[in-house]
Amino acid sequence: QGIRDLTVLDVIRTTPRHLFLDEAMAHRAYEDVALPIGFQQTLSQPYIVARMTELLLAAGPRQRVLEVGTGSGYQTAILAQLVDEVYSVERIKPLQHKARQRMRQLKLRNVHMNHADGTMGWQERGPFDGIMATAAPERIPEDLLQQLATDGRLVIPVGGDSQHLQVVTRTAEGYETEIVEAVNFVPLRPGTVK
């Protein structure tokens, strides 16, 4: 489907997607569709996971990546195999708990998790040379832009009813935005859920 980064494709191919779903949905794990994971959240389709990962890495390797919205942990696990350190923020505690168990099961030790409001990023651990959001804000939160290092890339779906995947690169002069394609993500919500 136009994904050219063979390293990304290889990681997608070898990561067991069924581990990130409840048993009732596991039989659909290898379809190219988004699937429910509870709490009105979804596991993104493999294509969009690969596409966003490829966009994040398009300007070269990333050392410190912030993921906004751990969800099932599938995107987290993909990133953890391709970057040095992943800092993942999730607002829904039970989802984060399950994702943490999956990281242990897969022996991914470079993932740091925080139960917090994703719209605020993770300031204490920034700046980040990559940020990926797996839920869509109406507008890009200022906190995320501030936590992006110079030459850092932010990959984020933006919009309400009509959403577009955007790549924002921080330069010495400011921010450059590229609109990539139409997408459909759950909304990025503030606050936390115990």
Side-chain angles (χ1 to χ4, degrees), residues 166-193:
Q166 298 187 12
V167 178
V168 180
T169 305
R170 185 169 194 170
T171 66
E173 291 75 46
Y175 299 92
E176 290 172 5
T177 303
E178 174 195 352
I179 294 173
V180 181
E181 63 186 90
V183 287
N184 187 17
F185 278 79
V186 297
L188 178 64
R189 299 189 191 286
T192 58
V193 179

Side-chain angles (χ1 to χ4, degrees), residues 80-132:
Q81 297 172 76
L82 293 162
V83 306
D84 293 355
E85 301 289 330
V86 179
Y87 297 86
S88 190
V89 179
E90 174 55 58
R91 64 184 287 270
I92 301 168
K93 191 76 172 176
L95 285 182
Q96 185 198 40
H97 179 70
K98 276 187 181 175
R100 194 184 296 275
Q101 290 174 321
R102 291 166 180 145
M103 295 309 120
R104 275 201 288 269
Q105 195 178 348
L106 293 168
K107 297 182 172 47
L108 295 171
R109 296 190 173 87
N110 59 337
V111 176
H112 314 274
M113 293 190 172
N114 191 16
H115 176 235
D117 180 338
T119 64
M120 299 167 80
W122 194 346
Q123 192 171 353
E124 307 76 59
R125 297 300 183 98
F128 303 96
D129 59 1
I131 300 178
M132 181 185 290

Side-chain angles (χ1 to χ4, degrees), residues 38-168:
F39 302 92
Q40 285 95 49
Q41 303 299 302
T42 57
L43 167 61
S44 294
Q45 69 180 109
Y47 162 73
I48 204 72
V49 170
R51 184 79 173 110
M52 289 174 71
T53 306
E54 181 179 61
L55 288 166
L56 187 78
L57 303 175
R62 304 283 118 181
Q63 274 76 49
R64 299 168 61 79
V65 172
L66 172 67
E67 179 191 34
V68 178
T70 314
S72 69
Y74 178 66
Q75 175 73 75
T76 321
I78 299 296
L79 286 172
Q81 297 172 76
L82 293 162
V83 306
D84 293 355
E85 301 289 330
V86 179
Y87 297 86
S88 190
V89 179
E90 174 55 58
R91 64 184 287 270
I92 301 168
K93 191 76 172 176
L95 285 182
Q96 185 198 40
H97 179 70
K98 276 187 181 175
R100 194 184 296 275
Q101 290 174 321
R102 291 166 180 145
M103 295 309 120
R104 275 201 288 269
Q105 195 178 348
L106 293 168
K107 297 182 172 47
L108 295 171
R109 296 190 173 87
N110 59 337
V111 176
H112 314 274
M113 293 190 172
N114 191 16
H115 176 235
D117 180 338
T119 64
M120 299 167 80
W122 194 346
Q123 192 171 353
E124 307 76 59
R125 297 300 183 98
F128 303 96
D129 59 1
I131 300 178
M132 181 185 290
T134 58
E138 298 258 346
R139 283 186 304 281
I140 298 175
E142 188 59 36
D143 284 330
L144 298 185
L145 293 172
Q146 293 299 326
Q147 290 169 38
L148 201 57
T150 304
D151 297 325
R153 289 169 79 82
L154 165 63
V155 179
I156 187 167
V158 182
D161 296 336
S162 155
Q163 300 174 359
H164 286 88
L165 190 58
Q166 298 187 12
V167 178
V168 180

Side-chain angles (χ1 to χ4, degrees), residues 17-18 20-22 25-38 40-46 72 186:
R17 192 168 181 248
H18 65 273
F20 299 88
L21 292 162
D22 292 332
M25 294 303 297
H27 67 286
R28 299 194 60 197
Y30 299 98
E31 296 174 22
D32 192 24
V33 292
L35 295 167
I37 57 170
Q40 285 95 49
Q41 303 299 302
T42 57
L43 167 61
S44 294
Q45 69 180 109
S72 69
V186 297

